[in-house]
Coordinates of all heavy atoms in Angstrom, one line a residue:
M178 N 23.0 55.2 -20.7 CA 23.3 54.4 -21.8 C 24.5 55.0 -22.6 O 25.3 54.2 -23.0 CB 22.1 54.2 -22.7 CG 22.2 53.2 -23.8 SD 20.7 52.9 -24.7 CE 21.1 53.7 -26.2
R179 N 24.5 56.3 -22.7 CA 25.6 56.9 -23.5 C 26.9 56.6 -22.9 O 27.9 56.3 -23.6 CB 25.3 58.4 -23.5 CG 26.4 59.2 -24.3 CD 26.1 60.7 -24.4 NE 25.0 60.9 -25.3 CZ 23.9 61.6 -25.0 NH1 23.8 62.2 -23.8 NH2 22.9 61.7 -25.9
S180 N 27.0 56.7 -21.5 CA 28.3 56.4 -20.9 C 28.7 55.0 -21.0 O 29.9 54.7 -21.2 CB 28.3 56.9 -19.4 OG 27.3 56.2 -18.7
A181 N 27.8 54.1 -20.9 CA 28.1 52.6 -21.1 C 28.6 52.4 -22.5 O 29.5 51.6 -22.7 CB 26.8 51.8 -20.8
R182 N 27.9 53.0 -23.5 CA 28.3 52.8 -24.9 C 29.7 53.4 -25.1 O 30.6 52.7 -25.7 CB 27.3 53.5 -25.8 CG 27.7 53.5 -27.3 CD 26.7 54.2 -28.2 NE 26.5 55.6 -27.8 CZ 27.4 56.6 -28.0 NH1 28.5 56.4 -28.5 NH2 27.0 57.8 -27.6
A183 N 29.9 54.6 -24.6 CA 31.2 55.2 -24.8 C 32.3 54.4 -24.1 O 33.4 54.3 -24.6 CB 31.2 56.6 -24.3
G184 N 32.0 53.9 -22.9 CA 32.9 53.1 -22.2 C 33.4 51.8 -22.9 O 34.5 51.3 -22.7
K185 N 32.5 51.3 -23.8 CA 32.9 50.2 -24.6 C 33.6 50.6 -25.9 O 33.9 49.7 -26.7 CB 31.6 49.4 -25.0 CG 30.9 48.8 -23.8 CD 31.5 47.5 -23.3 CE 31.3 46.4 -24.3 NZ 32.0 45.2 -23.8
G186 N 33.7 51.9 -26.1 CA 34.4 52.4 -27.3 C 33.5 52.3 -28.6 O 34.0 52.2 -29.7
L187 N 32.2 52.3 -28.4 CA 31.3 52.1 -29.5 C 30.7 53.5 -29.9 O 30.3 54.3 -29.0 CB 30.1 51.2 -29.2 CG 30.5 49.7 -28.8 CD1 29.3 49.0 -28.3 CD2 31.1 49.1 -30.0
T188 N 30.5 53.7 -31.2 CA 29.7 54.8 -31.7 C 28.2 54.5 -31.6 O 27.9 53.3 -31.5 CB 30.1 55.2 -33.1 OG1 29.7 54.1 -34.0 CG2 31.6 55.5 -33.2
Q189 N 27.4 55.4 -31.8 CA 26.0 55.1 -31.9 C 25.7 54.2 -33.1 O 24.9 53.3 -33.0 CB 25.2 56.4 -32.1 CG 25.1 57.3 -30.8 CD 24.3 58.5 -31.0 OE1 24.1 59.0 -32.1 NE2 24.0 59.2 -29.9
A190 N 26.4 54.4 -34.2 CA 26.2 53.6 -35.4 C 26.7 52.1 -35.1 O 26.0 51.2 -35.5 CB 27.0 54.1 -36.5
D191 N 27.8 52.0 -34.3 CA 28.3 50.6 -34.0 C 27.2 49.9 -33.2 O 26.9 48.7 -33.4 CB 29.6 50.7 -33.1 CG 30.7 51.3 -33.9 OD1 30.8 51.2 -35.1 OD2 31.6 51.8 -33.2
L192 N 26.7 50.5 -32.1 CA 25.7 49.9 -31.3 C 24.4 49.6 -32.1 O 23.9 48.5 -31.9 CB 25.4 50.8 -30.1 CG 24.3 50.3 -29.1 CD1 24.7 48.9 -28.5 CD2 24.1 51.3 -28.0
A193 N 24.0 50.5 -32.9 CA 22.8 50.3 -33.7 C 22.9 49.1 -34.6 O 22.0 48.3 -34.6 CB 22.5 51.6 -34.5
K194 N 24.1 48.9 -35.2 CA 24.3 47.8 -36.0 C 24.2 46.5 -35.2 O 23.7 45.5 -35.7 CB 25.7 47.9 -36.7 CG 25.9 46.8 -37.8 CD 27.2 47.1 -38.5 CE 27.4 46.0 -39.6 NZ 28.6 46.2 -40.4
Q195 N 24.8 46.5 -34.0 CA 24.8 45.3 -33.2 C 23.4 44.9 -32.8 O 23.2 43.7 -32.6 CB 25.7 45.5 -32.0 CG 27.2 45.5 -32.2 CD 28.0 45.5 -30.9 OE1 27.5 45.2 -29.9 NE2 29.2 46.0 -31.0
V196 N 22.6 45.8 -32.6 CA 21.2 45.5 -32.0 C 20.1 45.6 -33.1 O 19.0 45.4 -32.8 CB 20.9 46.4 -30.8 CG1 21.9 46.2 -29.7 CG2 20.7 47.9 -31.2
G197 N 20.5 45.9 -34.3 CA 19.5 45.9 -35.4 C 18.6 47.1 -35.4 O 17.4 47.0 -35.7
A198 N 19.1 48.2 -34.9 CA 18.3 49.5 -34.9 C 19.1 50.5 -35.7 O 20.2 50.3 -36.2 CB 18.2 50.0 -33.4
S199 N 18.4 51.7 -35.9 CA 19.1 52.7 -36.7 C 19.9 53.6 -35.7 O 19.6 53.6 -34.5 CB 18.0 53.6 -37.3 OG 17.3 54.4 -36.4
R200 N 20.9 54.3 -36.2 CA 21.7 55.2 -35.4 C 20.8 56.3 -34.8 O 20.9 56.7 -33.6 CB 22.8 55.9 -36.2 CG 23.7 56.7 -35.3 CD 24.3 57.9 -35.9 NE 23.4 58.8 -36.7 CZ 22.7 59.7 -36.1 NH1 22.7 60.0 -34.8 NH2 21.9 60.5 -36.8
Q201 N 19.8 56.7 -35.6 CA 18.8 57.7 -35.1 C 18.1 57.2 -33.9 O 17.8 58.0 -32.9 CB 17.9 58.2 -36.2 CG 18.6 58.9 -37.3 CD 19.2 58.0 -38.4 OE1 19.3 56.8 -38.2 NE2 19.7 58.7 -39.4
T202 N 17.7 56.0 -33.9 CA 17.0 55.4 -32.7 C 17.8 55.4 -31.5 O 17.4 55.8 -30.4 CB 16.5 53.9 -33.1 OG1 15.6 54.0 -34.1 CG2 15.9 53.3 -31.8
I203 N 19.1 55.0 -31.6 CA 20.0 55.0 -30.5 C 20.2 56.5 -30.0 O 20.1 56.7 -28.8 CB 21.4 54.4 -30.9 CG1 21.2 53.0 -31.3 CG2 22.4 54.6 -29.7 CD1 20.6 52.0 -30.3
S204 N 20.3 57.4 -30.9 CA 20.4 58.8 -30.5 C 19.2 59.3 -29.7 O 19.3 59.9 -28.7 CB 20.6 59.7 -31.7 OG 20.7 61.0 -31.4
L205 N 18.0 58.9 -30.2 CA 16.8 59.3 -29.5 C 16.6 58.7 -28.1 O 16.2 59.3 -27.2 CB 15.6 59.0 -30.4 CG 15.4 59.9 -31.6 CD1 14.3 59.3 -32.5 CD2 15.1 61.3 -31.3
I206 N 17.0 57.4 -28.0 CA 17.0 56.7 -26.7 C 17.9 57.5 -25.8 O 17.5 57.7 -24.6 CB 17.4 55.3 -26.9 CG1 16.3 54.5 -27.7 CG2 17.5 54.6 -25.5 CD1 16.7 53.1 -28.1
E207 N 19.1 57.8 -26.2 CA 20.1 58.4 -25.3 C 19.6 59.8 -24.9 O 19.9 60.3 -23.8 CB 21.4 58.5 -26.0 CG 22.2 57.2 -26.1 CD 23.6 57.3 -26.7 OE1 24.0 58.3 -27.2 OE2 24.2 56.2 -26.7
A208 N 18.9 60.5 -25.8 CA 18.3 61.8 -25.5 C 17.1 61.8 -24.6 O 16.6 62.8 -24.2 CB 18.1 62.6 -26.8
G209 N 16.5 60.6 -24.4 CA 15.3 60.4 -23.6 C 14.1 60.8 -24.4 O 13.0 61.0 -23.9
A210 N 14.2 60.8 -25.8 CA 13.1 61.2 -26.6 C 12.4 60.0 -27.3 O 11.5 60.1 -28.1 CB 13.6 62.1 -27.7
H211 N 12.8 58.7 -27.0 CA 12.2 57.5 -27.5 C 12.2 56.5 -26.5 O 13.2 56.2 -25.8 CB 13.1 57.1 -28.7 CG 12.6 55.8 -29.4 ND1 11.4 55.7 -30.1 CD2 13.1 54.5 -29.4 CE1 11.2 54.5 -30.5 NE2 12.2 53.7 -30.1
N212 N 11.0 55.8 -26.4 CA 10.9 54.7 -25.4 C 11.0 53.4 -26.2 O 10.1 53.0 -27.0 CB 9.5 54.7 -24.7 CG 9.4 55.9 -23.8 OD1 10.4 56.2 -23.1 ND2 8.3 56.5 -23.8
P213 N 12.2 52.7 -26.1 CA 12.4 51.5 -26.9 C 11.6 50.3 -26.4 O 11.1 50.3 -25.2 CB 13.9 51.2 -26.7 CG 14.2 51.8 -25.4 CD 13.3 53.1 -25.3
T214 N 11.4 49.3 -27.2 CA 10.7 48.1 -26.8 C 11.6 47.4 -25.8 O 12.8 47.6 -25.7 CB 10.5 47.2 -28.0 OG1 11.8 46.8 -28.5 CG2 9.6 47.8 -29.1
L215 N 10.9 46.5 -25.0 CA 11.7 45.7 -24.0 C 12.7 44.9 -24.8 O 13.9 44.7 -24.3 CB 10.8 44.8 -23.2 CG 11.4 43.9 -22.2 CD1 12.2 44.7 -21.2 CD2 10.3 43.1 -21.5
R216 N 12.4 44.3 -25.9 CA 13.3 43.5 -26.7 C 14.6 44.3 -27.0 O 15.7 43.8 -26.9 CB 12.6 43.0 -27.9 CG 13.5 42.2 -28.9 CD 13.8 40.8 -28.4 NE 15.0 40.7 -27.7 CZ 15.3 39.7 -26.8 NH1 14.4 38.8 -26.6 NH2 16.4 39.7 -26.2
L217 N 14.4 45.6 -27.5 CA 15.5 46.4 -27.8 C 16.3 46.7 -26.6 O 17.6 46.7 -26.6 CB 15.1 47.7 -28.6 CG 16.2 48.6 -29.1 CD1 17.2 47.9 -29.9 CD2 15.6 49.8 -29.8
C218 N 15.7 47.0 -25.5 CA 16.4 47.3 -24.2 C 17.3 46.1 -23.9 O 18.5 46.3 -23.5 CB 15.4 47.6 -23.1 SG 14.6 49.1 -23.3
I219 N 16.8 44.9 -23.9 CA 17.5 43.7 -23.6 C 18.7 43.5 -24.6 O 19.8 43.3 -24.1 CB 16.6 42.5 -23.6 CG1 15.6 42.5 -22.5 CG2 17.4 41.2 -23.6 CD1 14.5 41.5 -22.6
D220 N 18.5 43.8 -25.8 CA 19.6 43.6 -26.8 C 20.7 44.7 -26.6 O 21.8 44.4 -26.7 CB 19.0 43.8 -28.2 CG 18.1 42.6 -28.7 OD1 18.2 41.5 -28.0 OD2 17.4 42.8 -29.7
I221 N 20.3 45.9 -26.2 CA 21.3 46.9 -25.9 C 22.1 46.5 -24.7 O 23.3 46.7 -24.7 CB 20.6 48.3 -25.8 CG1 20.0 48.8 -27.1 CG2 21.5 49.3 -25.1 CD1 19.1 50.0 -27.0
A222 N 21.4 46.1 -23.6 CA 22.1 45.7 -22.4 C 23.1 44.6 -22.7 O 24.2 44.6 -22.2 CB 21.1 45.3 -21.3
R223 N 22.7 43.6 -23.4 CA 23.6 42.5 -23.8 C 24.8 43.0 -24.6 O 25.9 42.6 -24.3 CB 22.8 41.4 -24.5 CG 22.0 40.6 -23.6 CD 21.3 39.5 -24.4 NE 20.5 38.7 -23.5 CZ 19.4 38.0 -23.8 NH1 19.1 37.9 -25.1 NH2 18.8 37.3 -22.9
A224 N 24.5 43.9 -25.6 CA 25.6 44.4 -26.4 C 26.6 45.2 -25.6 O 27.8 45.2 -25.9 CB 25.0 45.3 -27.5
L225 N 26.1 45.8 -24.5 CA 27.0 46.7 -23.7 C 27.5 45.9 -22.4 O 28.1 46.5 -21.5 CB 26.3 47.9 -23.2 CG 25.9 48.9 -24.4 CD1 25.1 50.0 -23.9 CD2 27.1 49.3 -25.2
D226 N 27.2 44.6 -22.3 CA 27.6 43.8 -21.2 C 27.2 44.3 -19.9 O 28.0 44.4 -18.9 CB 29.2 43.6 -21.2 CG 29.6 42.8 -22.4 OD1 29.0 41.9 -22.9 OD2 30.7 43.2 -23.0
T227 N 25.9 44.7 -19.8 CA 25.4 45.2 -18.5 C 24.0 44.7 -18.4 O 23.5 43.9 -19.1 CB 25.5 46.8 -18.5 OG1 25.2 47.2 -17.2 CG2 24.6 47.4 -19.6
D228 N 23.2 45.3 -17.4 CA 21.9 44.9 -17.2 C 20.9 46.1 -17.4 O 21.3 47.2 -17.4 CB 21.7 44.3 -15.8 CG 22.1 45.2 -14.7 OD1 21.3 46.1 -14.4 OD2 23.2 45.1 -14.1
L229 N 19.6 45.8 -17.4 CA 18.6 46.8 -17.7 C 18.6 47.9 -16.6 O 18.5 49.1 -16.9 CB 17.2 46.2 -17.8 CG 17.0 45.3 -19.0 CD1 15.7 44.6 -19.0 CD2 17.3 46.0 -20.3
N230 N 18.7 47.5 -15.3 CA 18.7 48.5 -14.3 C 19.8 49.5 -14.4 O 19.6 50.7 -14.2 CB 18.8 47.8 -12.9 CG 17.4 47.2 -12.5 OD1 16.4 47.6 -13.0 ND2 17.5 46.2 -11.6
T231 N 21.0 49.0 -14.7 CA 22.2 49.8 -14.8 C 22.0 50.8 -16.0 O 22.3 52.0 -15.8 CB 23.5 49.0 -15.0 OG1 23.6 48.1 -13.9 CG2 24.7 49.9 -15.2
L232 N 21.4 50.3 -17.0 CA 21.3 51.2 -18.2 C 20.1 52.2 -18.1 O 20.3 53.4 -18.5 CB 21.0 50.4 -19.5 CG 22.2 49.8 -20.2 CD1 21.7 49.1 -21.4 CD2 23.2 50.8 -20.5
F233 N 19.0 51.8 -17.6 CA 17.8 52.6 -17.7 C 17.2 53.1 -16.4 O 16.2 53.9 -16.4 CB 16.7 51.8 -18.5 CG 17.2 51.5 -19.9 CD1 17.5 50.2 -20.3 CD2 17.2 52.5 -20.8 CE1 17.9 49.9 -21.6 CE2 17.6 52.2 -22.1 CZ 18.0 51.0 -22.5
W234 N 17.6 52.6 -15.2 CA 17.0 53.0 -14.0 C 17.3 54.5 -13.7 O 18.5 54.9 -13.8 CB 17.5 52.2 -12.8 CG 16.7 52.5 -11.6 CD1 17.1 53.3 -10.5 CD2 15.4 52.0 -11.2 NE1 16.2 53.3 -9.6 CE2 15.1 52.6 -10.0 CE3 14.5 51.2 -11.9 CZ2 13.9 52.3 -9.4 CZ3 13.3 50.9 -11.3 CH2 13.0 51.5 -10.0
E235 N 16.3 55.3 -13.4 CA 16.5 56.7 -13.0 C 16.1 56.8 -11.6 O 15.0 56.5 -11.1 CB 15.5 57.6 -13.9 CG 15.9 57.6 -15.3 CD 15.0 58.5 -16.1 OE1 14.2 59.2 -15.5 OE2 15.2 58.6 -17.4
E236 N 17.0 57.4 -10.8 CA 16.8 57.7 -9.4 C 15.8 58.9 -9.4 O 16.0 59.9 -10.1 CB 18.0 58.1 -8.7 CG 19.0 56.9 -8.6 CD 18.5 55.8 -7.7 OE1 17.8 56.1 -6.7 OE2 18.8 54.6 -8.0
S237 N 14.8 58.8 -8.6 CA 13.9 59.9 -8.4 C 14.5 60.9 -7.4 O 15.1 60.6 -6.5 CB 12.5 59.5 -7.9 OG 12.6 58.8 -6.7
E238 N 14.2 62.2 -7.8 CA 14.7 63.3 -6.9 C 13.7 63.5 -5.8 O 12.5 63.7 -6.1 CB 15.0 64.5 -7.7 CG 16.1 64.4 -8.7 CD 16.4 65.6 -9.4 OE1 16.1 66.7 -8.9 OE2 16.9 65.5 -10.6
Q239 N 14.1 63.5 -4.6 CA 13.1 63.7 -3.5 C 13.3 65.0 -2.8 O 14.2 65.6 -2.6 CB 13.2 62.6 -2.5 CG 13.1 61.3 -3.2 CD 12.1 60.4 -2.6 OE1 11.5 60.7 -1.6 NE2 11.9 59.2 -3.2

């Protein structure tokens, strides 16, 4: 998510404002320390012009 946000030239505060969240929430999500609601995930994906899989899918290490 951090790279997608930075790629759009947005700060955490910019993204937070667009999706109705706090900057701290965005920071915690990027750090993997907060599990956002599905609604917030969808809003973030739309704000960043991407999809949920691209933003949040983690490849498992085998």
